[in-house]
Amino acid sequence: MSEMSQPLVRHKTVQKIHLTVVQIVLTLFLITFLLPAIWMVSSSLKASTEVFAHPIVWIPERPQWNNYARIFEILPFGRFLWNTILVTGLAVLGTVISSVMVGYSFARLNWPGKNLFFGLMISTMFLPEIVTLIPRFMIFRELKWIDTFYPLIVPHWFAVNAVYIFLVNQFLRGLPIELEEAALIDGANRFQILTQIIIPLSKPVIASITVFALLQHYNAFIEPLIFLRSMDNWTMALGIRALNDTNVQNWELVFAAGTMMVAPVLLLFIFAQRYFVQGIALTGFGGR
Amino acid sequence: MPQNPYLNVLLTALLTVVFILVSSILLASLAWLLARLFRQTAREQQNAFAGYLFAAPWITGFLIFVLVPLGFSLYWSFTDYRVTASAPPQWVGLENYRQLLLADDGFRASLLNTLYLTVLGLPLQMVVALLLAVLLNQKMRGERVFRMAFYLPVILGFNTAVLLIWRLMLNTGTGIINQLWRAAYQIPGVSELLRGIIYVQEVSAAFFLGLNNRSFNLMYKVIEAGFPEVNRVPLWVQSPLWSKMSVILLMVWGCGAMMLIFIAGLNNIPKELHEAAEVDGASPAQRFWKITLPLLTPYIFYNLVVGMISTLQIFEPIFVLYRDNQPLLSSAISMVYYLWQKSFSHFEIGYGAAISWVILVIILSVTLVQFALQNRWVHYDIY
């Protein structure tokens, strides 16, 4: 025994050193990865002269809190914020309701043609969105929907994002079927089963869809860029891009607007990481 | 009719719901009727009704927002159709495709740039993701914090604001990245390495640009200029030699999603395999190459397929970095960016539709080739 223990002790110290090295390497990576965020937040509080100062100013000498107030004077960011909230809220609501319904149908109900439609649904996940973008634009143009919020909201009430249906489907397949059968024998109809049994049990997956959809619509850029025209209808993402165009002198304002836009995303991520991780685990999609 | 636009939106949402309800009930009734006609049991009729009722939103949405648009875009791709001319589409047969594939230098450049990002950027992204995953797999304290921090760029990267910040960070003179680069020159021994990186990158980028412009003068110039002098910095968003590298940098920064997939893969490797190999005297490097990597191949395959699909569609980073930088745009423009330019800024709808179908065919064939080749290197049998 005593012969064995000595290499074991050595082995442990080697492992300890090894772990420390790994931790140092990871910390270096961590700093690199967080650098943009750190720089953005710190620059948002700088005076004009400090932003590109040499050497780098990390902590502004006198934090310029009124940078945040000044963004609202240059562009109507209050309006952009309301637009973003409205579009995001309605689109997410539609996504959640329709995805749960459709996912339930695919996961739990038996109907003729289901396998065909399921295959079609999966294949739309791999269809580049860009291919349908032009005709969708032309359809919305015919409907006189360009420069309104409708193109950004209405399609999502039809569960057009198959990923969310797939997520619900994967989750519901893991629930025991007996619950539903018992309710059926008791005379409940499918709608009652959905609202009274399935939805209460699916809270985690509903939370997952909600966070991913929130992120998707809040950050959306290409579609607002194409479908929205007048400044009154812009979302935050478009406003920030415009700030870059109109205001090249005052970079600290770009940083402040950026911080303001990213802060909710950051909070969402910190408080709902569980649901992000769960969504990735269920589908294998990394939220791309 | 000056109405409150917010009220209009809510009204439209309501109308949408009504439309969905009506179409769902119609579709479900149709299914029920068919089931009845085919003399199915009462239970089966009910199932058909309920199934179609709940799936109907997606089925109608699929028709309106996917199938019909696909049909239109296929038709337009064979026509000369410009919104500005306000003339109906003119059938031109394969003319759009002929011009696109044989005569359009702009598309050729965008295709080659996108391939550059796919062939160079994607593997780099995957290597960094794998490295981080292996390091995190050591199960040490704070592992969760690290994991979340590395995933954070994926969440933030969707955001225009963060892409804009990158643009400022990459500024040659004042950007933070070059400030750090200059600082690194003070560390002894690092100088040669940094200059070497600059040299290799510039020569290879010049070679690639040469392929694109069919003239290698730039490459000869870069080689003639010789090994970069001390204190040279990368010209990230300033020189065509670096414009694509900046995008690759952004891609590597957003490798967190791939990393999470790799971590899941590493967790699935049975511990006993490593323990047995260790007892047999295998070194950590041997264990990585002989056990970890082969067992990870399904996950590598997955990341490769999904990564290629998304890299071939890259748009936003290039849009934010180079949209108002005309001299650099042609050295960085991607296929989807070119599509956007043609259809939404020149309004050549027919031509744009043809581009989108070429992109679709490229993505589809690349994916199919990967699935066909997977038997050669992906090991599923061990599980």
Side-chain angles (χ1 to χ4, degrees):
Chain A
M1 278 305 272
S2 58
E3 279 168 2
M4 284 290 286
S5 63
Q6 209 157 11
L8 212 71
V9 169
R10 237 193 76 204
H11 190 79
K12 267 201 172 147
T13 37
V14 169
Q15 195 147 21
K16 221 172 179 179
I17 294 169
H18 170 80
L19 273 187
T20 319
V21 171
V22 167
Q23 216 141 19
I24 291 170
V25 173
L26 280 176
T27 311
L28 285 178
F29 268 108
L30 183 88
I31 295 169
T32 327
F33 270 63
L34 295 184
L35 203 64
I38 297 168
W39 195 51
M40 177 171 75
V41 175
S42 105
S43 298
S44 75
L45 295 173
K46 286 176 189 168
S48 249
T49 47
E50 285 174 316
V51 177
F52 293 118
H54 194 57
I56 309 158
V57 177
W58 284 109
I59 299 164
E61 200 160 317
R62 214 179 290 140
Q64 305 285 319
W65 293 103
N66 72 336
N67 282 350
Y68 284 89
R70 280 168 62 206
I71 346 171
F72 288 87
E73 290 161 16
I74 290 171
L75 284 172
F77 266 94
R79 174 102 195 183
F80 299 162
L81 185 66
W82 275 117
N83 291 344
T84 309
I85 290 173
L86 183 79
V87 170
T88 307
L90 284 175
V92 170
L93 187 69
T95 301
V96 171
I97 293 174
S98 57
S99 302
V100 168
M101 273 173 58
V102 179
Y104 171 65
S105 176
F106 277 127
R108 287 313 184 92
L109 301 177
N110 273 317
W111 37 284
K114 185 172 96 168
N115 291 337
L116 171 75
F117 281 114
F118 191 75
L120 282 174
M121 184 204 73
I122 296 293
S123 59
T124 60
M125 291 205 291
F126 294 95
L127 181 74
E129 225 170 274
I130 204 76
V131 177
T132 57
L133 193 59
I134 298 172
R136 270 186 293 149
F137 174 80
M138 297 304 280
I139 292 172
F140 293 135
R141 197 163 158 270
E142 283 302 309
L143 290 170
K144 304 253 181 298
W145 277 12
I146 299 302
D147 205 16
T148 69
F149 299 135
Y150 313 146
L152 304 175
I153 297 169
V154 172
H156 300 286
W157 285 77
F158 291 88
V160 284
N161 269 317
V163 186
Y164 301 122
I165 304 177
F166 186 60
L167 235 160
V168 175
N169 177 69
Q170 295 297 93
F171 181 84
L172 290 184
R173 271 169 201 238
L175 292 181
I177 197 128
E178 290 78 18
L179 282 168
E180 227 174 310
E181 278 168 350
L184 267 183
I185 291 165
D186 288 346
N189 64 35
R190 289 290 179 184
F191 188 72
Q192 286 168 325
I193 292 174
L194 179 64
T195 50
Q196 285 163 26
I197 297 175
I198 299 292
I199 289 179
L201 286 173
S202 321
K203 272 180 197 149
V205 76
I206 291 174
S208 279
I209 315 176
T210 311
V211 291
F212 275 112
L214 267 176
L215 201 66
Q216 179 201 340
H217 293 287
Y218 182 77
N219 288 334
F221 180 66
I222 301 184
E223 294 204 340
L225 181 70
I226 286 165
F227 295 133
L228 300 178
R229 289 286 149 82
S230 54
M231 198 195 269
D232 273 352
N233 287 334
W234 281 0
T235 56
M236 294 274 282
L238 296 184
I240 284 184
R241 196 217 51 188
L243 196 64
N244 173 40
D245 293 350
T246 54
N247 212 56
V248 197
Q249 318 305 323
N250 299 320
W251 285 109
E252 70 279 7
L253 298 188
V254 178
F255 289 102
T259 308
M260 196 175 70
M261 178 154 187
V262 168
V265 177
L266 211 62
L267 287 178
L268 180 75
F269 181 63
I270 290 169
F271 289 108
Q273 358 166 322
R274 188 149 65 98
Y275 300 114
F276 281 105
V277 173
Q278 180 190 271
I280 296 158
L282 276 174
T283 58
F285 283 97
R288 278 176 287 210
Chain B
M1 197 169 61
Q3 275 178 334
N4 184 346
Y6 291 153
L7 209 67
N8 282 348
V9 173
L10 290 175
L11 204 69
T12 309
L14 200 72
L15 279 176
T16 311
V17 172
V18 171
F19 175 81
I20 292 173
L21 282 179
V22 171
S23 63
S24 300
I25 290 168
L26 281 178
L27 197 67
S29 310
L30 192 71
W32 174 77
L33 215 65
L34 280 174
R36 221 179 140 160
L37 274 177
F38 285 101
R39 299 191 183 289
Q40 293 189 303
T41 60
R43 176 76 188 265
E44 281 169 329
Q45 290 174 24
Q46 270 175 19
N47 278 344
F49 183 81
Y52 274 95
L53 185 68
F54 289 127
W58 177 77
I59 296 175
T60 30
F62 175 72
L63 284 176
I64 302 174
F65 297 112
V66 180
L67 212 57
V68 169
L70 277 181
F72 270 118
S73 117
L74 189 61
Y75 165 66
W76 288 335
S77 75
F78 295 109
T79 64
D80 182 14
Y81 185 23
R82 289 154 211 267
V83 177
T84 40
S86 68
Q90 291 268 311
W91 183 266
V92 291
L94 288 171
E95 176 55 27
N96 284 338
Y97 289 99
R98 192 197 64 78
Q99 202 192 338
L100 188 59
L101 297 174
L102 302 176
D104 188 343
D105 279 345
F107 180 72
R108 213 179 85 100
S110 76
L111 174 69
L112 286 176
N113 288 340
T114 313
L115 289 181
Y116 186 92
L117 295 179
T118 316
V119 172
L120 222 75
L122 184 63
L124 218 76
Q125 195 183 18
M126 286 174 64
V127 167
V128 175
L130 183 61
L131 175 71
L132 292 177
V134 169
L135 289 178
L136 283 179
N137 201 37
Q138 315 281 326
K139 302 275 174 284
M140 90 254 346
R141 267 178 48 211
E143 185 251 343
R144 221 185 60 141
V145 176
F146 281 122
R147 200 176 52 193
M148 284 304 145
F150 294 145
Y151 184 65
L152 189 66
V154 180
I155 306 263
L156 296 183
F158 291 121
N159 200 300
T160 325
V162 178
L163 291 176
L164 205 59
I165 301 305
W166 264 98
R167 190 174 139 156
L168 300 178
M169 288 177 50
L170 288 167
N171 190 301
T172 307
T174 52
I176 187 170
I177 291 177
N178 277 359
Q179 294 213 30
L180 292 175
W181 193 286
R182 281 192 205 98
Y185 272 120
Q186 312 305 321
I187 307 168
V190 176
S191 167
E192 276 71 28
L193 177 73
L194 293 180
R195 286 154 67 201
I197 292 174
I198 293 181
Y199 192 60
V200 171
Q201 149 63 21
E202 287 191 345
V203 171
S204 57
F207 172 73
F208 187 79
L209 280 176
L211 282 182
N212 221 335
N213 304 333
R214 302 184 181 105
S215 126
F216 288 95
N217 287 342
L218 183 65
M219 191 179 79
Y220 299 137
K221 263 192 211 156
V222 170
I223 293 174
E224 248 171 59
F227 201 67
E229 63 230 73
V230 183
N231 288 340
R232 265 286 307 277
V233 286
L235 305 169
W236 300 108
V237 283
Q238 199 187 328
S239 152
L241 294 176
W242 288 91
S243 53
K244 284 186 284 292
M245 201 32 89
S246 313
V247 180
I248 291 180
L249 208 65
L250 268 164
M251 287 171 68
V252 172
W253 180 65
C255 73
M258 288 183 171
M259 180 200 71
L260 287 186
I261 307 275
F262 280 137
I263 290 177
L266 289 171
N267 282 336
N268 278 348
I269 296 177
K271 264 212 174 82
E272 296 77 32
L273 278 177
H274 276 289
E275 284 164 7
E278 213 176 343
V279 170
D280 289 347
S283 71
Q286 276 174 328
R287 278 185 284 138
F288 178 78
W289 291 107
K290 301 278 178 193
I291 299 173
T292 311
L293 213 55
L295 286 175
L296 268 187
T297 46
Y299 297 88
I300 297 175
F301 176 70
Y302 177 86
N303 273 336
L304 196 65
V305 170
V306 176
M308 273 205 185
I309 292 176
S310 61
T311 309
L312 288 170
Q313 296 183 64
I314 194 164
F315 172 72
E316 259 186 81
I318 299 163
F319 185 85
V320 176
L321 287 181
Y322 301 114
R323 186 183 59 104
D324 43 8
N325 195 341
Q326 283 306 323
L328 272 201
L329 187 57
S330 68
S331 72
I333 191 167
S334 71
M335 290 192 290
V336 171
Y337 194 121
Y338 191 67
L339 164 68
W340 180 86
Q341 211 176 37
K342 280 286 171 203
S343 2
F344 296 107
S345 117
H346 304 168
F347 289 106
E348 295 176 27
I349 298 297
Y351 201 65
I355 299 175
S356 68
W357 279 90
V358 170
I359 297 176
L360 179 63
V361 169
I362 290 174
I363 290 177
L364 215 69
S365 34
V366 165
T367 310
L368 287 178
V369 166
Q370 283 181 315
F371 272 96
L373 289 179
Q374 65 168 328
N375 290 334
R376 302 210 178 163
W377 62 278
V378 183
H379 305 278
Y380 292 105
D381 44 327
I382 306 157
Y383 291 104

